[in-house]
Amino acid sequence: METLKPDAANYQSLLKHYIATQDEHSLYGAEQITKQFIKNNIPPEEIVNLHIQAMAALYPDLPEYFRHSMKFLLETMISYGIAHQEYHTLREQQSELKSEIAVAANMQDTLLATTKPAIDGLDIGVVSVPAHQMNGDYHHFVTGEDGSLGIAVADVIGKGIPAALCMSMIKYSMDSLPERTMRPQTILKNLNRVVERNVESSMFITMFYAQYLPADGKIRYSSAGHEPGFYYNARENRFEEIKAKGLVLGVDPDTDYRQYERVLHQGDMVILLTDGVTECRQGDRFIESEEVLDVIARFSHLQAQDMVDKVYKHFERLQNFRLRDDFTLIVLKKEV
Amino acid sequence: MDLAIDVIDENKKTIVKLSGEIDAYTAPQLKEKLLQLTKIEEHKTIVDLENVGYMDSTGLGIFISALKSTKENNSSIRLVNLQDRVLRVFQITGLDEIFTIHTAIRGGNE
């Protein structure tokens, strides 16, 4: 190895000096050589080899057992060197993977992008934050030809990449449903079959699907095992849980979903969320759902977007800015 | 937090007593145990959740796989002694309607 030659002479003289004096300067010199070796990717057995040669040059009459022992060390370092090389390769591969995942996450964001629609008389706020690189929560807005607004909120169990990939499947199944089947219970029934057929047995999806009909201020909804949202009754200044029962998607292909209906009045709100919100923890303690409501109520006088942002900030702070789960919160506020 | 899995084998029946939390970290060992038991033809598995204070959705996924496995292998699984927080997770997801769930292990259910 060419790069070793000047170092070999240098190493030998440093070693000679050190054996004679045991002085710190030689050690410092050795450290500098090491840095050079690391930079040039010199495997550890080469360094042992360097030492053997230096010793042989300095002391031609070294005892045989010493030479054998150095040979032994050399062989040992060869396997060490191979393992070390593998470690480096793995590190490189890992960083490649990381950047590929970042690309995938980006692509996912583009694929699943949804725009908050502008609906007369309905103030909408959305916040959706992933705990890891890819979001396993999903929300989607779709406006029908009849002016109705479809809102899906979903959570995939498993987390991480498989969950995120699963979401793309859901999104495309929903896009391919004909518009006349936009009713929440029909959508969930269809998606349930898609998920049941295509997803492995320990994975499943919870979804809340709502359809808002602006003409009569009515909201229809069905739930597939999704964390219940809340309904705010402005006249009575009272929150209540939205009771909608239904089995999670992907477990039983023959499930039927119940559909519920409710008329919204001025100032009423519908609050949809994922369990990343209700499973927030403060230290070892869970945040109870009453506390979640308290926080929502505290900011409920704000515009919907401002409100969800403030609620999110509140919980982020409680958990020391480290989310355990993806966090999605949607607020629909009827203005007139 | 850890999850302790105590297994009591009786004739054609196994009681799996769990203590701790069921989450993404502790779930794999539980999954292995439950799938192993539910694969035995006509075997009855009873999971005692009395000492489980927390279960996240990964845990649900495991119980769903176990339930699917009982259907394929003509075996059965029953969940007993659920704490309120854990029971609520089954109720929200609608899974309480497809699982056999008892809130007390004793009392002549068998």
Side-chain angles (χ1 to χ4, degrees):
Chain A
M1 238 176 248
E2 280 308 301
T3 48
L4 273 178
K5 277 214 176 121
D7 293 328
N10 195 6
Y11 185 89
Q12 188 177 321
S13 82
L14 284 169
L15 181 63
K16 187 178 172 188
H17 191 70
Y18 184 75
I19 290 172
T21 64
Q22 279 101 60
D23 125 49
E24 291 274 327
H25 281 293
S26 333
L27 288 179
Y28 175 73
E31 200 185 313
Q32 297 309 308
I33 294 186
T34 308
K35 282 185 184 153
Q36 204 56 36
F37 286 166
I38 292 171
K39 212 170 111 191
N40 294 325
N41 239 341
I42 306 293
E45 69 269 19
E46 281 300 328
I47 301 171
V48 176
N49 199 25
L50 204 64
H51 187 78
I52 294 172
Q53 282 166 13
M55 285 298 281
L58 292 172
Y59 305 97
D61 300 326
L62 279 174
E64 196 147 340
Y65 66 81
F66 181 78
R67 276 188 280 121
H68 287 320
S69 85
M70 291 311 284
K71 176 94 179 29
F72 189 82
L73 178 61
L74 183 69
E75 290 298 324
T76 313
M77 290 315 276
I78 288 174
S79 20
Y80 182 85
I82 291 168
H84 190 68
Q85 194 54 49
E86 269 170 14
Y87 165 78
H88 271 286
T89 316
L90 282 176
R91 282 233 338 218
E92 271 164 33
Q93 285 172 351
Q94 193 196 25
S95 87
E96 267 171 42
L97 265 179
K98 259 196 185 157
S99 65
E100 274 180 35
I101 292 169
V103 173
N106 244 326
M107 209 185 261
Q108 175 87 354
D109 286 346
T110 317
L111 285 175
L112 298 185
T114 185
T115 352
K116 196 171 77 174
I119 303 267
D120 272 350
L122 192 68
D123 180 21
I124 305 173
V126 185
V127 63
S128 183
V129 185
H132 302 287
Q133 227 172 341
M134 292 176 95
N135 199 341
D137 280 359
Y138 169 68
H139 69 277
H140 189 63
F141 294 104
V142 54
T143 330
E145 276 168 18
D146 58 354
S148 73
L149 169 68
I151 307 140
V153 185
D155 188 358
V156 189
I157 285 72
K159 297 185 168 67
I161 296 171
L165 291 178
C166 193
M167 270 309 153
S168 306
M169 181 180 82
I170 290 288
K171 150 110 200 264
Y172 283 93
S173 318
M174 272 203 297
D175 283 351
S176 63
L177 296 175
E179 180 148 333
R180 61 180 179 283
T181 61
M182 285 265 288
R183 295 169 64 86
Q185 64 184 159
T186 322
I187 288 175
L188 292 186
K189 193 169 168 61
N190 278 313
L191 289 180
N192 179 48
R193 277 201 297 264
V194 174
V195 176
E196 206 273 333
R197 271 199 301 257
N198 295 295
V199 170
E200 65 130 347
S201 75
S202 64
M203 212 152 139
F204 61 89
I205 294 165
T206 73
M207 180 182 278
F208 188 92
Y209 196 96
Q211 188 187 21
Y212 178 68
L213 310 159
D216 29 12
K218 204 194 295 178
I219 191 157
R220 294 176 181 148
Y221 53 92
S222 295
S223 172
H226 196 77
E227 181 71 26
F230 301 103
Y231 175 80
Y232 174 71
N233 183 323
R235 210 183 47 192
E236 296 173 25
N237 185 25
R238 192 166 56 85
F239 285 93
E240 59 185 89
E241 204 172 85
I242 296 176
K243 291 202 165 47
K245 203 158 178 181
L247 186 62
V248 293
L249 302 176
V251 174
D252 174 7
D254 301 320
T255 310
D256 283 309
Y257 291 92
R258 274 184 69 182
Q259 185 170 297
Y260 305 77
E261 227 177 67
R262 170 154 228 169
V263 177
L264 301 185
H265 301 283
Q266 186 177 3
D268 286 1
M269 284 190 284
V270 171
I271 295 145
L272 307 177
L273 37 79
T274 57
D275 64 5
V277 179
T278 48
E279 281 198 0
C280 281
R281 290 200 199 191
Q282 186 174 26
D284 272 345
R285 193 183 70 91
F286 286 95
I287 311 294
E288 299 297 333
S289 79
E290 292 80 49
E291 288 178 73
V292 174
L293 264 189
D294 280 349
V295 177
I296 291 172
R298 198 187 312 159
F299 298 115
S300 63
H301 60 284
L302 301 170
Q303 287 281 299
Q305 189 58 47
D306 211 11
M307 178 179 163
V308 294
D309 288 339
K310 290 265 179 0
V311 173
Y312 168 68
K313 289 238 164 59
H314 176 91
F315 286 115
E316 193 194 34
R317 213 169 295 138
L318 272 193
Q319 302 190 92
N320 292 322
F321 300 96
R322 201 165 44 93
L323 286 187
R324 290 171 65 98
D325 197 0
D326 307 326
F327 184 110
T328 298
L329 179 65
I330 296 179
V331 166
L332 312 171
K333 215 173 188 178
K334 192 166 187 318
E335 289 173 314
V336 277
Chain B
M1 195 163 164
D2 288 341
L3 177 70
I5 304 177
D6 291 317
V7 177
I8 305 155
D9 281 314
E10 289 172 23
N11 186 30
K12 290 193 171 182
K13 183 171 99 178
T14 302
I15 299 171
V16 180
K17 247 179 136 20
L18 304 175
S19 328
E21 295 191 351
I22 308 175
D23 58 22
Y25 299 100
T26 61
Q29 39 164 344
L30 178 61
K31 181 173 186 173
E32 193 185 331
K33 189 75 226 167
L34 291 185
L35 288 185
Q36 177 200 333
L37 291 170
T38 51
K39 272 188 187 134
I40 308 169
E41 283 275 320
E42 297 192 11
H43 195 78
K44 288 179 181 159
T45 305
I46 297 159
V47 185
D48 186 345
L49 293 152
E50 187 177 3
N51 296 314
V52 174
Y54 173 75
M55 178 180 75
D56 73 1
S57 37
T58 327
L60 277 185
I62 281 163
F63 285 116
I64 291 173
S65 327
L67 185 70
K68 286 183 176 171
S69 159
T70 60
K71 293 198 171 136
E72 283 159 20
N73 298 291
N74 197 26
S75 56
S76 72
I77 187 165
R78 215 143 54 83
L79 311 177
V80 300
N81 289 336
L82 284 72
Q83 292 187 21
D84 286 348
R85 184 184 290 282
V86 175
L87 182 62
R88 188 180 122 88
V89 178
F90 279 93
Q91 287 167 338
I92 287 175
T93 48
L95 292 167
D96 58 330
E97 286 174 14
I98 59 168
F99 270 96
T100 314
I101 295 179
H102 295 285
T103 39
I105 194 170
R106 291 169 206 90
N109 288 319
E110 194 53 43

